[in-house]
């Protein structure tokens, strides 16, 4: 039982570290969205290496790719999924080997 608890703690710590990897604060809104437009705000970003943003449908097909170049401080990006069918999507941020995902709902 102790090894399970240790593994659970380790996974929880890694999730917290990755949540703050790209920025001190990350906001994605509105979510859910009825228009298909989402605003991504990163505050306190210190990106020396470009970050790639991808959107996947629920069967893993890549629907959108956008690249953010090196930036500092606050980033505000609008992504438009209004041309896609309503449903659930996965938003992925990646920088090198580090990836962070969020679920988007287009209703």
């Amino acid at each position: 039982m102790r090894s399970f608890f240790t593994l659970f703690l380790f996974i929880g710590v890694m999730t917290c570290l990755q949540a703050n990897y790209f920025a001190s604060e990350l906001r994605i809104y509105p979510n859910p969205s009825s228009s298909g437009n989402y605003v991504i705000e990163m505050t306190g970003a210190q990106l020396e290496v470009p970050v790639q943003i991808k959107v996947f449908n629920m069967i893993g097909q890549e629907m959108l790719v956008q690249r953010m170049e090196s930036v500092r401080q606050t980033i505000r990006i609008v992504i438009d999924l209004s041309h896609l069918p309503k449903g659930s999507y996965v938003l992925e941020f990646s920088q090198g080997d580090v990836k962070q995902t969020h679920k988007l709902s287009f209703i």
Side-chain angles (χ1 to χ4, degrees):
M1 186 67 152
R2 183 177 178 179
S3 61
F4 172 75
F5 182 70
T6 304
L7 178 61
F8 177 74
L9 266 178
F10 179 71
I11 291 169
V13 169
M14 290 302 292
T15 302
C16 291
L17 289 174
Q18 286 185 355
N20 294 321
Y21 184 79
F22 297 105
S24 59
E25 183 180 349
L26 174 64
R27 294 181 59 216
I28 303 164
Y29 63 92
N31 194 15
S33 171
S34 58
S35 67
N37 291 313
Y38 298 87
V39 176
I40 301 168
E41 287 183 355
M42 293 183 186
T43 304
Q46 299 289 325
L47 306 176
E48 302 295 328
V49 178
V51 172
Q52 194 164 49
I53 298 172
K54 292 183 179 181
V55 175
F56 297 93
N57 64 15
M58 296 311 285
I59 60 171
Q61 295 172 317
E62 191 176 275
M63 308 305 286
L64 177 95
V65 177
Q66 190 168 339
R67 185 178 166 106
M68 290 188 326
E69 295 302 324
S70 302
V71 295
R72 296 201 182 273
Q73 297 310 317
T74 302
I75 305 163
R76 186 173 190 271
I77 299 169
V78 177
I79 58 171
D80 181 7
L81 304 182
S82 63
H83 61 284
L84 299 176
K86 293 183 177 188
S88 296
Y89 294 90
V90 176
L91 174 67
E92 177 188 271
F93 297 93
S94 62
Q95 186 179 43
D97 293 336
V98 178
K99 294 183 180 182
Q100 181 177 350
T101 59
H102 299 272
K103 183 179 176 183
L104 297 177
S105 295
F106 180 15
I107 56 173

